[in-house]
PDB file of all heavy atoms in Angstrom:
ATOM      1  N   THR A 125      53.662 -24.803 -12.103  1.00  0.00           N
ATOM      2  CA  THR A 125      52.361 -24.306 -11.660  1.00  0.00           C
ATOM      3  C   THR A 125      51.958 -23.061 -12.437  1.00  0.00           C
ATOM      4  O   THR A 125      50.819 -22.947 -12.907  1.00  0.00           O
ATOM      5  CB  THR A 125      52.400 -23.992 -10.147  1.00  0.00           C
ATOM      6  OG1 THR A 125      52.765 -25.175  -9.443  1.00  0.00           O
ATOM      7  CG2 THR A 125      51.061 -23.495  -9.656  1.00  0.00           C
ATOM      8  N   LEU A 126      52.888 -22.127 -12.595  1.00  0.00           N
ATOM      9  CA  LEU A 126      52.585 -20.906 -13.348  1.00  0.00           C
ATOM     10  C   LEU A 126      52.365 -21.195 -14.828  1.00  0.00           C
ATOM     11  O   LEU A 126      51.512 -20.585 -15.472  1.00  0.00           O
ATOM     12  CB  LEU A 126      53.701 -19.885 -13.161  1.00  0.00           C
ATOM     13  CG  LEU A 126      53.821 -19.318 -11.744  1.00  0.00           C
ATOM     14  CD1 LEU A 126      55.049 -18.430 -11.631  1.00  0.00           C
ATOM     15  CD2 LEU A 126      52.564 -18.573 -11.348  1.00  0.00           C
ATOM     16  N   LEU A 127      53.127 -22.137 -15.380  1.00  0.00           N
ATOM     17  CA  LEU A 127      52.948 -22.512 -16.780  1.00  0.00           C
ATOM     18  C   LEU A 127      51.548 -23.083 -17.004  1.00  0.00           C
ATOM     19  O   LEU A 127      50.836 -22.670 -17.920  1.00  0.00           O
ATOM     20  CB  LEU A 127      54.013 -23.531 -17.190  1.00  0.00           C
ATOM     21  CG  LEU A 127      53.922 -24.030 -18.632  1.00  0.00           C
ATOM     22  CD1 LEU A 127      54.446 -22.960 -19.574  1.00  0.00           C
ATOM     23  CD2 LEU A 127      54.695 -25.314 -18.805  1.00  0.00           C
ATOM     24  N   ILE A 128      51.143 -24.010 -16.148  1.00  0.00           N
ATOM     25  CA  ILE A 128      49.834 -24.658 -16.306  1.00  0.00           C
ATOM     26  C   ILE A 128      48.698 -23.676 -16.007  1.00  0.00           C
ATOM     27  O   ILE A 128      47.617 -23.780 -16.574  1.00  0.00           O
ATOM     28  CB  ILE A 128      49.760 -25.907 -15.416  1.00  0.00           C
ATOM     29  CG1 ILE A 128      50.719 -26.966 -15.949  1.00  0.00           C
ATOM     30  CG2 ILE A 128      48.354 -26.465 -15.336  1.00  0.00           C
ATOM     31  CD1 ILE A 128      50.893 -28.157 -15.048  1.00  0.00           C
ATOM     32  N   ARG A 129      48.947 -22.713 -15.133  1.00  0.00           N
ATOM     33  CA  ARG A 129      47.915 -21.722 -14.816  1.00  0.00           C
ATOM     34  C   ARG A 129      47.574 -20.868 -16.036  1.00  0.00           C
ATOM     35  O   ARG A 129      46.407 -20.553 -16.289  1.00  0.00           O
ATOM     36  CB  ARG A 129      48.387 -20.823 -13.680  1.00  0.00           C
ATOM     37  CG  ARG A 129      47.361 -19.772 -13.276  1.00  0.00           C
ATOM     38  CD  ARG A 129      47.944 -18.744 -12.381  1.00  0.00           C
ATOM     39  NE  ARG A 129      48.862 -17.901 -13.159  1.00  0.00           N
ATOM     40  CZ  ARG A 129      49.501 -16.864 -12.660  1.00  0.00           C
ATOM     41  NH1 ARG A 129      49.382 -16.555 -11.396  1.00  0.00           N
ATOM     42  NH2 ARG A 129      50.302 -16.151 -13.425  1.00  0.00           N
ATOM     43  N   ASP A 130      48.605 -20.488 -16.807  1.00  0.00           N
ATOM     44  CA  ASP A 130      48.407 -19.547 -17.907  1.00  0.00           C
ATOM     45  C   ASP A 130      48.279 -20.195 -19.280  1.00  0.00           C
ATOM     46  O   ASP A 130      47.838 -19.551 -20.219  1.00  0.00           O
ATOM     47  CB  ASP A 130      49.569 -18.547 -17.949  1.00  0.00           C
ATOM     48  CG  ASP A 130      49.611 -17.685 -16.692  1.00  0.00           C
ATOM     49  OD1 ASP A 130      48.555 -17.490 -16.075  1.00  0.00           O
ATOM     50  OD2 ASP A 130      50.704 -17.214 -16.341  1.00  0.00           O
ATOM     51  N   TRP A 131      48.684 -21.453 -19.412  1.00  0.00           N
ATOM     52  CA  TRP A 131      48.695 -22.112 -20.710  1.00  0.00           C
ATOM     53  C   TRP A 131      47.973 -23.448 -20.659  1.00  0.00           C
ATOM     54  O   TRP A 131      48.002 -24.139 -19.650  1.00  0.00           O
ATOM     55  CB  TRP A 131      50.132 -22.352 -21.185  1.00  0.00           C
ATOM     56  CG  TRP A 131      50.879 -21.089 -21.431  1.00  0.00           C
ATOM     57  CD1 TRP A 131      51.600 -20.379 -20.531  1.00  0.00           C
ATOM     58  CD2 TRP A 131      50.957 -20.366 -22.656  1.00  0.00           C
ATOM     59  NE1 TRP A 131      52.139 -19.257 -21.123  1.00  0.00           N
ATOM     60  CE2 TRP A 131      51.766 -19.232 -22.426  1.00  0.00           C
ATOM     61  CE3 TRP A 131      50.442 -20.577 -23.926  1.00  0.00           C
ATOM     62  CZ2 TRP A 131      52.045 -18.308 -23.425  1.00  0.00           C
ATOM     63  CZ3 TRP A 131      50.732 -19.656 -24.915  1.00  0.00           C
ATOM     64  CH2 TRP A 131      51.525 -18.541 -24.669  1.00  0.00           C
ATOM     65  N   ILE A 132      47.343 -23.820 -21.770  1.00  0.00           N
ATOM     66  CA  ILE A 132      46.740 -25.146 -21.933  1.00  0.00           C
ATOM     67  C   ILE A 132      47.742 -25.983 -22.714  1.00  0.00           C
ATOM     68  O   ILE A 132      48.212 -25.562 -23.777  1.00  0.00           O
ATOM     69  CB  ILE A 132      45.408 -25.065 -22.703  1.00  0.00           C
ATOM     70  CG1 ILE A 132      44.403 -24.215 -21.923  1.00  0.00           C
ATOM     71  CG2 ILE A 132      44.861 -26.448 -22.980  1.00  0.00           C
ATOM     72  CD1 ILE A 132      43.148 -23.891 -22.706  1.00  0.00           C
ATOM     73  N   ILE A 133      48.094 -27.135 -22.188  1.00  0.00           N
ATOM     74  CA  ILE A 133      49.057 -28.008 -22.842  1.00  0.00           C
ATOM     75  C   ILE A 133      48.289 -29.120 -23.551  1.00  0.00           C
ATOM     76  O   ILE A 133      47.541 -29.857 -22.920  1.00  0.00           O
ATOM     77  CB  ILE A 133      50.048 -28.604 -21.827  1.00  0.00           C
ATOM     78  CG1 ILE A 133      50.766 -27.479 -21.090  1.00  0.00           C
ATOM     79  CG2 ILE A 133      51.040 -29.533 -22.518  1.00  0.00           C
ATOM     80  CD1 ILE A 133      51.612 -27.929 -19.942  1.00  0.00           C
ATOM     81  N   GLU A 134      48.453 -29.197 -24.874  1.00  0.00           N
ATOM     82  CA  GLU A 134      47.748 -30.204 -25.669  1.00  0.00           C
ATOM     83  C   GLU A 134      48.763 -31.125 -26.336  1.00  0.00           C
ATOM     84  O   GLU A 134      49.777 -30.665 -26.853  1.00  0.00           O
ATOM     85  CB  GLU A 134      46.917 -29.540 -26.774  1.00  0.00           C
ATOM     86  CG  GLU A 134      45.860 -28.601 -26.271  1.00  0.00           C
ATOM     87  CD  GLU A 134      45.174 -27.866 -27.409  1.00  0.00           C
ATOM     88  OE1 GLU A 134      45.779 -27.699 -28.491  1.00  0.00           O
ATOM     89  OE2 GLU A 134      44.037 -27.457 -27.206  1.00  0.00           O
ATOM     90  N   SER A 135      48.489 -32.405 -26.320  1.00  0.00           N
ATOM     91  CA  SER A 135      49.360 -33.343 -27.038  1.00  0.00           C
ATOM     92  C   SER A 135      48.969 -33.340 -28.515  1.00  0.00           C
ATOM     93  O   SER A 135      47.809 -33.163 -28.866  1.00  0.00           O
ATOM     94  CB  SER A 135      49.224 -34.751 -26.459  1.00  0.00           C
ATOM     95  OG  SER A 135      47.891 -35.180 -26.515  1.00  0.00           O
ATOM     96  N   ILE A 136      49.945 -33.523 -29.377  1.00  0.00           N
ATOM     97  CA  ILE A 136      49.705 -33.562 -30.823  1.00  0.00           C
ATOM     98  C   ILE A 136      49.695 -35.027 -31.249  1.00  0.00           C
ATOM     99  O   ILE A 136      50.695 -35.727 -31.115  1.00  0.00           O
ATOM    100  CB  ILE A 136      50.781 -32.776 -31.589  1.00  0.00           C
ATOM    101  CG1 ILE A 136      50.750 -31.315 -31.139  1.00  0.00           C
ATOM    102  CG2 ILE A 136      50.570 -32.911 -33.084  1.00  0.00           C
ATOM    103  CD1 ILE A 136      51.848 -30.473 -31.730  1.00  0.00           C
ATOM    104  N   VAL A 137      48.546 -35.477 -31.719  1.00  0.00           N
ATOM    105  CA  VAL A 137      48.362 -36.870 -32.128  1.00  0.00           C
ATOM    106  C   VAL A 137      48.341 -36.922 -33.655  1.00  0.00           C
ATOM    107  O   VAL A 137      47.720 -36.076 -34.302  1.00  0.00           O
ATOM    108  CB  VAL A 137      47.039 -37.423 -31.548  1.00  0.00           C
ATOM    109  CG1 VAL A 137      46.828 -38.862 -31.941  1.00  0.00           C
ATOM    110  CG2 VAL A 137      47.017 -37.281 -30.034  1.00  0.00           C
ATOM    111  N   ASN A 138      49.039 -37.896 -34.229  1.00  0.00           N
ATOM    112  CA  ASN A 138      49.032 -38.063 -35.680  1.00  0.00           C
ATOM    113  C   ASN A 138      47.643 -38.442 -36.167  1.00  0.00           C
ATOM    114  O   ASN A 138      46.881 -39.089 -35.434  1.00  0.00           O
ATOM    115  CB  ASN A 138      50.032 -39.143 -36.098  1.00  0.00           C
ATOM    116  CG  ASN A 138      51.458 -38.736 -35.819  1.00  0.00           C
ATOM    117  OD1 ASN A 138      51.800 -37.559 -35.890  1.00  0.00           O
ATOM    118  ND2 ASN A 138      52.289 -39.697 -35.476  1.00  0.00           N
ATOM    119  N   PRO A 139      47.255 -38.089 -37.396  1.00  0.00           N
ATOM    120  CA  PRO A 139      45.945 -38.447 -37.917  1.00  0.00           C
ATOM    121  C   PRO A 139      45.738 -39.963 -37.889  1.00  0.00           C
ATOM    122  O   PRO A 139      46.609 -40.726 -38.301  1.00  0.00           O
ATOM    123  CB  PRO A 139      45.959 -37.931 -39.358  1.00  0.00           C
ATOM    124  CG  PRO A 139      47.035 -36.906 -39.397  1.00  0.00           C
ATOM    125  CD  PRO A 139      48.039 -37.304 -38.358  1.00  0.00           C
ATOM    126  N   GLY A 140      44.605 -40.399 -37.373  1.00  0.00           N
ATOM    127  CA  GLY A 140      44.277 -41.814 -37.314  1.00  0.00           C
ATOM    128  C   GLY A 140      44.891 -42.547 -36.129  1.00  0.00           C
ATOM    129  O   GLY A 140      44.670 -43.739 -35.950  1.00  0.00           O
ATOM    130  N   GLU A 141      45.636 -41.863 -35.301  1.00  0.00           N
ATOM    131  CA  GLU A 141      46.288 -42.493 -34.157  1.00  0.00           C
ATOM    132  C   GLU A 141      45.390 -42.390 -32.930  1.00  0.00           C
ATOM    133  O   GLU A 141      44.837 -41.333 -32.640  1.00  0.00           O
ATOM    134  CB  GLU A 141      47.622 -41.780 -33.893  1.00  0.00           C
ATOM    135  CG  GLU A 141      48.474 -42.406 -32.839  1.00  0.00           C
ATOM    136  CD  GLU A 141      49.809 -41.695 -32.705  1.00  0.00           C
ATOM    137  OE1 GLU A 141      49.846 -40.454 -32.803  1.00  0.00           O
ATOM    138  OE2 GLU A 141      50.806 -42.388 -32.512  1.00  0.00           O
ATOM    139  N   THR A 142      45.224 -43.489 -32.222  1.00  0.00           N
ATOM    140  CA  THR A 142      44.405 -43.479 -31.011  1.00  0.00           C
ATOM    141  C   THR A 142      45.242 -42.977 -29.839  1.00  0.00           C
ATOM    142  O   THR A 142      46.477 -42.909 -29.918  1.00  0.00           O
ATOM    143  CB  THR A 142      43.882 -44.892 -30.677  1.00  0.00           C
ATOM    144  OG1 THR A 142      44.998 -45.726 -30.346  1.00  0.00           O
ATOM    145  CG2 THR A 142      43.104 -45.473 -31.835  1.00  0.00           C
ATOM    146  N   GLY A 143      44.576 -42.623 -28.766  1.00  0.00           N
ATOM    147  CA  GLY A 143      45.272 -42.185 -27.566  1.00  0.00           C
ATOM    148  C   GLY A 143      46.204 -43.256 -27.028  1.00  0.00           C
ATOM    149  O   GLY A 143      47.310 -42.970 -26.571  1.00  0.00           O
ATOM    150  N   GLU A 144      45.773 -44.504 -27.098  1.00  0.00           N
ATOM    151  CA  GLU A 144      46.605 -45.626 -26.627  1.00  0.00           C
ATOM    152  C   GLU A 144      47.868 -45.769 -27.475  1.00  0.00           C
ATOM    153  O   GLU A 144      48.965 -45.969 -26.951  1.00  0.00           O
ATOM    154  CB  GLU A 144      45.774 -46.908 -26.684  1.00  0.00           C
ATOM    155  CG  GLU A 144      46.505 -48.146 -26.233  1.00  0.00           C
ATOM    156  CD  GLU A 144      46.300 -48.434 -24.765  1.00  0.00           C
ATOM    157  OE1 GLU A 144      45.415 -47.830 -24.141  1.00  0.00           O
ATOM    158  OE2 GLU A 144      47.048 -49.270 -24.262  1.00  0.00           O
ATOM    159  N   GLN A 145      47.737 -45.644 -28.798  1.00  0.00           N
ATOM    160  CA  GLN A 145      48.901 -45.745 -29.682  1.00  0.00           C
ATOM    161  C   GLN A 145      49.869 -44.589 -29.422  1.00  0.00           C
ATOM    162  O   GLN A 145      51.086 -44.777 -29.402  1.00  0.00           O
ATOM    163  CB  GLN A 145      48.459 -45.739 -31.150  1.00  0.00           C
ATOM    164  CG  GLN A 145      47.726 -46.987 -31.564  1.00  0.00           C
ATOM    165  CD  GLN A 145      47.074 -46.834 -32.937  1.00  0.00           C
ATOM    166  OE1 GLN A 145      46.726 -45.726 -33.347  1.00  0.00           O
ATOM    167  NE2 GLN A 145      46.908 -47.950 -33.633  1.00  0.00           N
ATOM    168  N   TRP A 146      49.330 -43.408 -29.218  1.00  0.00           N
ATOM    169  CA  TRP A 146      50.159 -42.251 -28.930  1.00  0.00           C
ATOM    170  C   TRP A 146      50.940 -42.476 -27.638  1.00  0.00           C
ATOM    171  O   TRP A 146      52.147 -42.238 -27.571  1.00  0.00           O
ATOM    172  CB  TRP A 146      49.294 -40.998 -28.822  1.00  0.00           C
ATOM    173  CG  TRP A 146      50.061 -39.784 -28.421  1.00  0.00           C
ATOM    174  CD1 TRP A 146      50.749 -38.949 -29.249  1.00  0.00           C
ATOM    175  CD2 TRP A 146      50.238 -39.283 -27.108  1.00  0.00           C
ATOM    176  NE1 TRP A 146      51.336 -37.943 -28.528  1.00  0.00           N
ATOM    177  CE2 TRP A 146      51.037 -38.131 -27.194  1.00  0.00           C
ATOM    178  CE3 TRP A 146      49.790 -39.680 -25.857  1.00  0.00           C
ATOM    179  CZ2 TRP A 146      51.404 -37.385 -26.087  1.00  0.00           C
ATOM    180  CZ3 TRP A 146      50.165 -38.944 -24.751  1.00  0.00           C
ATOM    181  CH2 TRP A 146      50.953 -37.808 -24.867  1.00  0.00           C
ATOM    182  N   ARG A 147      50.258 -42.929 -26.605  1.00  0.00           N
ATOM    183  CA  ARG A 147      50.880 -43.182 -25.301  1.00  0.00           C
ATOM    184  C   ARG A 147      51.981 -44.228 -25.403  1.00  0.00           C
ATOM    185  O   ARG A 147      53.069 -44.066 -24.851  1.00  0.00           O
ATOM    186  CB  ARG A 147      49.826 -43.623 -24.291  1.00  0.00           C
ATOM    187  CG  ARG A 147      50.340 -43.702 -22.876  1.00  0.00           C
ATOM    188  CD  ARG A 147      49.255 -44.065 -21.873  1.00  0.00           C
ATOM    189  NE  ARG A 147      48.101 -43.186 -21.952  1.00  0.00           N
ATOM    190  CZ  ARG A 147      46.895 -43.548 -22.410  1.00  0.00           C
ATOM    191  NH1 ARG A 147      46.671 -44.773 -22.822  1.00  0.00           N
ATOM    192  NH2 ARG A 147      45.898 -42.698 -22.441  1.00  0.00           N
ATOM    193  N   ASP A 148      51.716 -45.317 -26.146  1.00  0.00           N
ATOM    194  CA  ASP A 148      52.724 -46.367 -26.310  1.00  0.00           C
ATOM    195  C   ASP A 148      53.961 -45.835 -27.047  1.00  0.00           C
ATOM    196  O   ASP A 148      55.079 -46.219 -26.729  1.00  0.00           O
ATOM    197  CB  ASP A 148      52.144 -47.567 -27.063  1.00  0.00           C
ATOM    198  CG  ASP A 148      51.130 -48.343 -26.238  1.00  0.00           C
ATOM    199  OD1 ASP A 148      51.129 -48.179 -24.988  1.00  0.00           O
ATOM    200  OD2 ASP A 148      50.343 -49.092 -26.832  1.00  0.00           O
TER     201      ASP A 148
END
Side-chain angles (χ1 to χ4, degrees):
T125 302
L126 293 174
L127 179 76
I128 292 171
R129 181 192 71 177
D130 296 333
W131 295 88
I132 298 170
I133 302 172
E134 299 174 335
S135 57
I136 299 175
V137 181
N138 294 327
E141 186 176 39
T142 66
E144 180 93 13
Q145 291 169 332
W146 175 85
R147 189 177 306 110
D148 290 342

